[in-house]
Amino acid sequence: LPDNLNTLDADLAKNLRDAFALHPWVREVNEVRVIHPETIRVKLAYREPVAVVRTARSLEAVDCDGVLLPAAELPDPQLYLTVTGVRSTPSGPAGTAWDDPALQAAAATADALSPHHRTLGLTTIDVSGFRAGSGNQGSVYLLTEQGTRVKWGRPPNVDYPGEVPVEDKIERLTKYVSENESLDKPSGPYEIDITHWQEISIRSRSQTPPRSR
């Protein structure tokens, strides 16, 4: 945009809308109003980071739609879930979608967990075993800092018959934490599977036989 704007310009509102829409932090331009003689009001919906993605070259931030965000302007990365297992790197600049099904799966999962992950003690989403477009897509896994691994299953953006609803998965994890203080207690780290319809299974990561709850 030029330094000075003419509020009598008939195309000004459209040009402002187009300009703001290009900003990588802008999710949607809700309204542009040009009020004579010299007032312009713009209402924007902003992108919100839900995860940081660890790649071979860097640490990148994404929103719930898998859109790449400006890393230099990201708040403390420790506030967000870290995504591992993404084999690609971003194909475009900040403000464009990261075209990788595994990344999209991770972003959707992070968005579903974003109000809860710190309470649950979750730090990482692992999509190294996720394969889009195949009969057996594999699963998304969640990890705690102490090493407990949770089999989350398919991401929320995948409609699959028999998949446990997201709300039920979160409720199961929340209930376990409320009863045991954390996903790593009483004697973890554990392998926890929350993909069964009737119960969750828990076993030590030292390969002892599983137990159900």
Side-chain angles (χ1 to χ4, degrees):
L1 293 172
D3 292 336
N4 297 301
L5 301 173
N6 180 6
T7 58
L8 297 178
D9 182 354
D11 294 327
L12 179 58
K14 177 184 181 301
N15 292 339
L16 286 169
R17 180 179 291 274
D18 292 345
F20 277 102
L22 291 174
H23 197 287
W25 279 106
V26 174
R27 180 183 180 90
E28 184 178 3
V29 181
N30 292 326
E31 182 183 25
V32 176
R33 293 178 61 195
V34 179
I35 305 170
H36 301 295
E38 55 181 16
T39 300
I40 298 171
R41 293 181 179 172
V42 181
K43 292 184 179 180
L44 306 173
Y46 290 96
R47 301 189 188 280
E48 298 183 10
V50 296
V52 291
V53 186
R54 191 175 301 280
T55 72
R57 73 179 192 188
S58 60
L59 197 64
E60 308 286 359
V62 295
D63 76 350
C64 63
D65 297 317
V67 172
L68 185 67
L69 299 176
E73 302 173 23
L74 184 71
D76 185 356
Q78 295 184 357
L79 296 175
Y80 308 100
L81 287 159
T82 298
V83 177
T84 61
V86 176
R87 296 179 176 86
S88 66
T89 55
S91 55
T96 59
W98 190 332
D99 189 18
D100 184 321
L103 182 280
Q104 298 289 334
T109 304
D111 185 46
L113 287 166
S114 60
H116 313 282
H117 74 272
R118 299 183 74 183
T119 301
L120 296 174
L122 298 169
T123 61
T124 305
I125 297 175
D126 179 15
V127 291
S128 58
F130 181 80
R131 299 175 299 280
S134 61
N136 180 14
Q137 290 185 314
S139 292
V140 174
Y141 285 86
L142 315 175
L143 292 92
T144 70
E145 188 173 359
Q146 302 301 317
T148 289
R149 190 172 76 151
V150 178
K151 184 179 181 181
W152 173 265
R154 292 174 177 83
N157 60 346
V158 173
D159 185 15
Y160 190 85
E163 187 74 13
V164 176
V166 171
E167 296 79 8
D168 291 351
K169 293 179 182 180
I170 293 173
E171 182 180 358
R172 292 177 183 185
L173 294 175
T174 301
K175 182 179 178 182
Y176 186 91
V177 169
S178 67
E179 293 175 348
N180 298 277
E181 298 184 14
S182 83
L183 295 173
D184 304 297
K185 292 185 177 181
S187 54
Y190 296 111
E191 292 277 356
I192 301 177
D193 188 342
I194 59 173
T195 63
H196 305 299
W197 267 98
Q198 299 297 327
E199 58 191 15
I200 67 174
S201 65
I202 303 168
R203 65 180 176 86
S204 170
R205 294 204 72 176
S206 60
Q207 303 298 318
T208 56
R211 61 187 175 93
S212 298
R213 293 177 61 90

